[in-house]
Amino acid sequence: MIPKLESYNRFVGKKVTKEIRHNAETLQGKHLVHINATPSGGGVAEILNSLVFLMNDVGIDTGWRVLIGSHSFFSLTKKFHNSLQGKKVKLTENRRKIYMEYTKKNSMINHISKHDFVVIHDPQPLGMISHFPNRKKWIWRCHIDISNPHTDTFDFILPFVRQYDCAVVSSNRFKINSLEKPQFIIPPSIDPLAAKNKQISENLANKVLSKHGIDVDKPILSQVARFDPWKGHLGVIKMFKKIKEKMDCQLIFMGDMASDDPQGPILYHRIRQITDKYPDIHTITQRNDLLVNALQKKSAIVFQNSVKEGFGLTVAEAMWKKTPVLGTDVGGIPLQILDGQTGYILKSVSDGVAKSLKILEDNSHRNELGSNAYEHVRKNFLITRHLNDYINMLNTLNSS
Amino acid sequence: MIPKLESYNRFVGKKVTKEIRHNAETLQGKHLVHINATPSGGGVAEILNSLVFLMNDVGIDTGWRVLIGSHSFFSLTKKFHNSLQGKKVKLTENRRKIYMEYTKKNSMINHISKHDFVVIHDPQPLGMISHFPNRKKWIWRCHIDISNPHTDTFDFILPFVRQYDCAVVSSNRFKINSLEKPQFIIPPSIDPLAAKNKQISENLANKVLSKHGIDVDKPILSQVARFDPWKGHLGVIKMFKKIKEKMDCQLIFMGDMASDDPQGPILYHRIRQITDKYPDIHTITQRNDLLVNALQKKSAIVFQNSVKEGFGLTVAEAMWKKTPVLGTDVGGIPLQILDGQTGYILKSVSDGVAKSLKILEDNSHRNELGSNAYEHVRKNFLITRHLNDYINMLNTLNSS
């Protein structure tokens, strides 16, 4: 289904969608293109998969291009990503050269100098701007947590960022102090009509999970995340073992892995070596939309035990299904989880165990957290709010 | 490095590159765009990563776009792929709907009706053609082995294929009998200047492999392939165990996995459960260009024990490093391996063991196979030949 703005009336009300159309009137027929690194998988691609078509629906002629590159380029940009999140990475001459080569190649194959707006997502395509001296408005949309970057990488990217007309970050925490250019705060969002988030029946959810060998009559704890060391799977196993001593339940890990991440399969093997001994821990190595939807809906508790997160939209996804989430205090998680109100912030293994038991043992508390969670997402993290923020930003840029 | 045609003189001679430029004269300034499913990883993206820039270098204004889509879309097109290679897949109404949805979405965000040539690669973007009633020349480039497809899927795609001006397949074996449109045979190719294939010193190769824990003084048998059930890893382990009884050697599996393939990590875990007991079997879960280059160069023997292959360019890559390859009789492998001359076709486990020992025990035989292999690739599977075939095809279309 190609999304239409008015289909969201049932979540946000007619007044909101009417206002969005009104705000977009000044932008009719403007030509905009988004450029990001991956066509699917990962939060950015998921957002664009809704946002791009809603932008078209409100009259902005919106394209979407994806970068091309070699293994070396994408493994390098993964290093950039980690480094901007604080990990030390050596920016060798050869690495700079590879980055500049693909920046140039991607500029050669995309004719975008005449677009009214170009929105560049994250550091991978950032440098393309230097190949378009004759350009209109360019926006750098940074989705990652750059509050504490490794200096070398940050110094390398900053001269590119300065060429943009403005930057957009997801949270006040991620603002770039030294930028001296306008910065907009636009948190990401989920699409309540996407297959992953749309309402499904209890019946269908049970059917889908049973098909994957999950016993739907036993309480489910779960974490939906890539098999990737940043996601804290081993900590979740520790919590689960202690919870399980007090109450019969099961743990489901659901996730794919980035094809360019050598750590993924190794971590998966390590987890399986542990979990193969526990019949109540399941790992499911796929992440199809309906399956994720069903799991988030049917979980008693969802964990998001990340060490670092750009934003962590899987949290909002679970909250949208009225499921309480226990997540760490990183990235955008505390914007979603208001501790004790819409879920709990994980402070330690024993804290996670205590909070989990509290939720598992008190159904009315669980329901209260779940309702608050849903309402918090409805007000703050739906695609309609996101679209409106974009439109307002484009209007501001247009009039400046 | 952005490739220039004349840099290939050292492999194919000045006369060849001059002729290519001459053939391209009629196409100066023509606007062409390639559309495929993935920006990196996989043979198609690797070829485009060279071909697109060489086409620009000879004066064709060539772009490259990549499809966007949800997890469901890409997991569906993976099913299409398998099904066109013969596996039974149920083409439900819902699956057709998802395919048509993303066909439409990708058509909305790419303005390509004015391009002189549009080259659509493989089944994923195939259906886009139906959204461009006003178009110039469209070419469907099919990289997969469709000699024995599952009927339902084939019947679903055929009406799309028929709308194209022509089709291109990799081998005579893959021609579509019922098409009634021009078909060109253009085998794929490798780029001898790409990081994966460029000449590196013995010293550098040793250094790179040692860094990954490989003992470069013990004979290396290897397979570079995704961890994917089509690649026959378990059969290679069987052969290796028998070879190892007669001669001290080691086996290296190097591969990433497709992020959308749930079987990848499970297969990897299964392989590791076996290989963890054998210190002489190593699995390396990355596939960076230099590492692959070094491994193919330093291997005594390379296996390609695939059950199915579109073409199997890893075979040509190893052959280009004068390393004998033992590969199965599927896809494009027998076009590369002329049995007994440029390598060996694998007939059974015991046959593979016998051929491997023959090569390991007779260095002059190994060298002879290696030299023949190199020369066969030089004449038939380099990117320059590929570029010229494209140019000739475009000229034919132009004059028709």
Side-chain angles (χ1 to χ4, degrees):
Chain A
M1 180 223 43
I2 295 175
K4 297 272 167 213
L5 183 57
E6 283 67 27
S7 315
Y8 297 83
N9 285 351
R10 69 181 110 150
F11 307 113
V12 296
K14 256 189 205 172
K15 210 180 131 196
V16 168
T17 60
K18 235 175 145 173
E19 194 191 316
I20 293 174
R21 283 217 183 267
H22 174 74
N23 292 341
E25 274 168 15
T26 42
L27 300 166
Q28 296 308 295
K30 293 280 178 190
H31 207 176
L32 181 148
V33 65
H34 291 276
I35 302 184
N36 82 312
T38 53
S40 82
V44 180
E46 276 177 21
I47 289 169
L48 289 176
N49 205 357
S50 298
L51 187 65
V52 164
F53 300 99
L54 283 172
M55 287 179 109
N56 274 301
D57 187 51
V58 299
I60 306 166
D61 184 357
T62 305
W64 175 7
R65 311 278 175 88
V66 172
L67 290 190
I68 60 92
S70 64
H71 282 289
S72 308
F73 172 67
F74 285 108
S75 97
L76 169 66
T77 57
K78 175 138 193 147
K79 287 197 181 78
F80 269 34
H81 178 112
N82 289 339
S83 163
L84 290 170
Q85 294 201 147
K87 208 174 150 185
K88 205 176 160 182
V89 165
K90 223 167 127 186
L91 210 67
T92 60
E93 201 45 52
N94 187 43
R95 286 179 174 165
R96 286 166 202 256
K97 232 174 81 188
I98 292 174
Y99 184 75
M100 298 313 290
E101 173 188 337
Y102 279 94
T103 293
K104 184 164 178 198
K105 281 184 164 176
N106 279 290
S107 301
M108 282 172 72
I109 58 173
N110 285 298
H111 300 152
I112 49 177
S113 57
K114 289 183 185 152
H115 283 69
D116 299 299
F117 301 103
V118 175
V119 186
I120 296 285
H121 294 261
D122 284 337
Q124 301 96 332
L126 174 67
M128 286 174 68
I129 194 167
S130 50
H131 294 283
F132 295 91
N134 296 315
R135 60 176 179 267
K136 298 187 178 173
K137 305 277 183 190
W138 281 51
I139 297 142
W140 188 49
R141 201 311 175 206
C142 176
H143 295 267
I144 60 185
D145 177 352
I146 46 169
S147 52
N148 191 21
H150 183 55
T151 322
D152 283 5
T153 313
F154 192 70
D155 288 349
F156 176 69
I157 70 158
L158 195 58
F160 294 119
V161 182
R162 288 218 164 104
Q163 297 175 52
Y164 283 76
D165 294 283
C166 72
V168 180
V169 293
S170 295
S171 155
N172 231 322
R173 293 189 182 192
F174 304 164
K175 269 196 154 180
I176 307 165
N177 291 325
S178 48
L179 185 57
E180 297 158 4
K181 279 284 173 85
Q183 285 183 71
F184 295 84
I185 313 285
I186 304 185
S189 63
I190 63 167
D191 182 347
L193 292 176
K196 196 155 57 156
N197 298 311
K198 72 178 180 201
Q199 188 151 19
I200 56 172
S201 69
E202 199 72 15
N203 207 1
L204 178 59
N206 286 339
K207 212 175 104 185
V208 168
L209 294 179
S210 303
K211 217 179 116 187
H212 281 84
I214 297 171
D215 174 2
V216 293
D217 295 322
K218 190 184 282 195
I220 297 170
L221 314 186
S222 68
Q223 176 165 292
V224 176
R226 283 197 170 162
F227 290 99
D228 161 333
W230 296 103
K231 303 295 185 187
H233 288 89
L234 300 176
V236 175
I237 294 176
K238 273 188 202 157
M239 288 187 269
F240 172 73
K241 283 186 189 167
K242 294 207 168 141
I243 297 164
K244 177 89 181 166
E245 285 168 15
K246 306 272 177 161
M247 186 176 246
D248 191 25
C249 58
Q250 60 190 325
L251 173 63
I252 320 284
F253 286 134
M254 185 175 291
D256 50 10
M257 50 193 70
S259 65
D260 59 349
D261 179 12
Q263 294 309 312
I266 295 169
L267 176 70
Y268 176 77
H269 175 57
R270 198 164 144 215
I271 290 171
R272 281 290 302 265
Q273 281 180 315
I274 301 171
T275 61
D276 280 357
K277 291 174 215 138
Y278 293 87
D280 273 326
I281 308 183
H282 305 271
T283 57
I284 299 180
T285 51
Q286 55 176 289
R287 208 173 165 165
N288 89 49
D289 298 328
L290 183 59
L291 189 56
V292 170
N293 192 334
L295 182 63
Q296 288 168 334
K297 181 186 173 80
K298 291 289 297 178
S299 290
I301 293 170
V302 160
F303 291 104
Q304 190 67 47
N305 192 37
S306 308
V307 179
K308 272 276 178 187
E309 272 299 339
F311 196 80
L313 277 180
T314 40
V315 172
E317 287 166 19
M319 288 169 69
W320 182 245
K321 284 125 202 166
K322 301 191 179 172
T323 300
V325 182
L326 272 57
T328 43
D329 188 17
V330 299
I333 294 178
L335 293 178
Q336 301 171 76
I337 300 179
L338 310 177
D339 195 23
Q341 287 177 57
T342 68
Y344 285 106
I345 296 293
L346 281 167
K347 279 135 202 156
S348 64
V349 168
S350 60
D351 176 62
V353 174
K355 298 286 161 53
S356 298
L357 287 170
K358 189 176 152 130
I359 295 170
L360 288 170
E361 283 162 359
D362 181 351
N363 208 31
S364 78
H365 181 53
R366 185 184 176 280
N367 289 343
E368 195 196 334
L369 289 173
S371 299
N372 293 344
Y374 172 85
E375 195 53 26
H376 187 53
V377 172
R378 195 186 69 77
K379 281 193 182 136
N380 299 289
F381 301 112
L382 294 189
I383 189 78
T384 35
R385 190 273 309 148
H386 200 169
L387 173 66
N388 199 34
D389 284 354
Y390 256 97
I391 291 170
N392 290 337
M393 175 190 66
L394 298 176
N395 279 327
T396 307
L397 282 179
N398 237 0
S399 63
S400 72
Chain B
M1 181 223 42
I2 296 174
K4 296 273 167 210
L5 183 57
E6 283 67 28
S7 316
Y8 296 83
N9 285 350
R10 70 181 108 150
F11 307 112
V12 297
K14 257 190 205 173
K15 211 182 130 194
V16 168
T17 59
K18 237 176 142 174
E19 194 191 315
I20 293 174
R21 283 216 183 268
H22 173 76
N23 291 341
E25 273 168 17
T26 42
L27 299 166
Q28 296 308 295
K30 293 280 180 191
H31 207 175
L32 180 149
V33 65
H34 292 276
I35 303 184
N36 82 312
T38 54
S40 83
V44 180
E46 276 177 22
I47 289 169
L48 288 176
N49 205 358
S50 297
L51 187 66
V52 164
F53 300 98
L54 283 172
M55 288 180 108
N56 274 300
D57 187 51
V58 300
I60 306 166
D61 184 356
T62 306
W64 176 7
R65 311 277 175 88
V66 172
L67 290 190
I68 60 93
S70 64
H71 281 289
S72 308
F73 173 67
F74 286 107
S75 97
L76 169 66
T77 56
K78 176 140 193 145
K79 287 198 180 79
F80 269 35
H81 179 111
N82 290 339
S83 161
L84 290 170
Q85 294 201 146
K87 207 174 150 185
K88 203 176 162 182
V89 165
K90 222 168 129 186
L91 210 66
T92 60
E93 202 45 52
N94 188 43
R95 287 179 172 164
R96 286 168 202 254
K97 231 175 80 186
I98 292 174
Y99 184 76
M100 298 314 290
E101 172 188 336
Y102 279 95
T103 292
K104 181 159 180 203
K105 281 184 164 176
N106 279 290
S107 302
M108 282 173 71
I109 58 173
N110 286 297
H111 301 154
I112 48 175
S113 56
K114 289 183 185 153
H115 283 70
D116 298 298
F117 301 104
V118 175
V119 187
I120 296 286
H121 294 261
D122 284 337
Q124 301 95 334
L126 174 68
M128 286 175 69
I129 195 166
S130 50
H131 294 283
F132 295 91
N134 296 315
R135 60 176 179 266
K136 298 187 177 173
K137 304 277 183 190
W138 282 50
I139 296 143
W140 188 50
R141 200 314 175 203
C142 176
H143 295 266
I144 60 185
D145 177 351
I146 46 168
S147 52
N148 191 21
H150 182 56
T151 322
D152 282 4
T153 313
F154 192 71
D155 288 349
F156 177 69
I157 70 158
L158 195 58
F160 294 119
V161 182
R162 288 217 163 104
Q163 297 176 50
Y164 283 75
D165 294 283
C166 72
V168 180
V169 293
S170 295
S171 155
N172 231 322
R173 292 189 183 192
F174 304 164
K175 270 194 151 180
I176 306 165
N177 291 325
S178 48
L179 185 58
E180 298 159 5
K181 278 289 170 85
Q183 284 183 73
F184 296 83
I185 313 286
I186 305 185
S189 63
I190 63 168
D191 182 348
L193 292 176
K196 195 154 59 155
N197 298 311
K198 71 178 179 199
Q199 188 150 19
I200 56 171
S201 70
E202 198 72 14
N203 206 0
L204 177 59
N206 287 339
K207 213 175 101 183
V208 168
L209 294 179
S210 303
K211 218 179 113 185
H212 282 84
I214 298 171
D215 173 2
V216 293
D217 295 323
K218 188 183 282 196
I220 297 171
L221 315 185
S222 68
Q223 176 163 292
V224 176
R226 283 197 170 162
F227 290 99
D228 161 331
W230 296 102
K231 302 298 183 184
H233 287 89
L234 300 175
V236 175
I237 294 176
K238 273 189 200 157
M239 287 188 269
F240 171 74
K241 284 186 189 166
K242 295 205 167 143
I243 297 163
K244 176 89 180 167
E245 286 169 14
K246 307 273 178 164
M247 185 178 247
D248 191 25
C249 58
Q250 60 190 325
L251 173 64
I252 321 282
F253 284 135
M254 186 175 290
D256 50 11
M257 50 192 70
S259 64
D260 58 350
D261 179 13
Q263 294 308 312
I266 295 168
L267 176 69
Y268 176 78
H269 175 59
R270 197 163 147 217
I271 289 171
R272 281 289 302 266
Q273 282 180 314
I274 301 171
T275 62
D276 280 356
K277 291 174 216 138
Y278 294 87
D280 273 325
I281 308 183
H282 304 272
T283 57
I284 298 180
T285 51
Q286 55 177 290
R287 208 173 167 166
N288 90 49
D289 299 326
L290 183 60
L291 189 56
V292 171
N293 191 334
L295 182 63
Q296 288 168 334
K297 181 186 173 82
K298 293 289 297 179
S299 290
I301 292 170
V302 160
F303 291 104
Q304 189 68 48
N305 192 37
S306 308
V307 180
K308 271 277 180 187
E309 273 298 339
F311 197 80
L313 276 179
T314 40
V315 171
E317 288 167 17
M319 289 169 69
W320 181 244
K321 284 125 201 166
K322 302 190 177 172
T323 300
V325 182
L326 273 58
T328 42
D329 189 18
V330 300
I333 294 177
L335 293 178
Q336 302 171 76
I337 299 179
L338 310 178
D339 195 23
Q341 288 177 57
T342 69
Y344 284 107
I345 296 293
L346 281 167
K347 278 136 202 155
S348 64
V349 169
S350 61
D351 175 63
V353 173
K355 299 287 162 53
S356 298
L357 287 169
K358 187 174 153 132
I359 295 170
L360 288 169
E361 283 161 359
D362 181 351
N363 209 32
S364 77
H365 181 54
R366 184 183 177 280
N367 290 342
E368 195 196 333
L369 290 173
S371 299
N372 293 345
Y374 172 85
E375 195 51 26
H376 186 53
V377 172
R378 196 185 70 76
K379 282 192 183 138
N380 300 290
F381 301 112
L382 293 190
I383 188 79
T384 36
R385 190 272 309 147
H386 200 170
L387 173 65
N388 199 34
D389 284 354
Y390 255 97
I391 292 169
N392 290 337
M393 175 191 66
L394 298 176
N395 279 327
T396 308
L397 282 179
N398 237 0
S399 62
S400 72

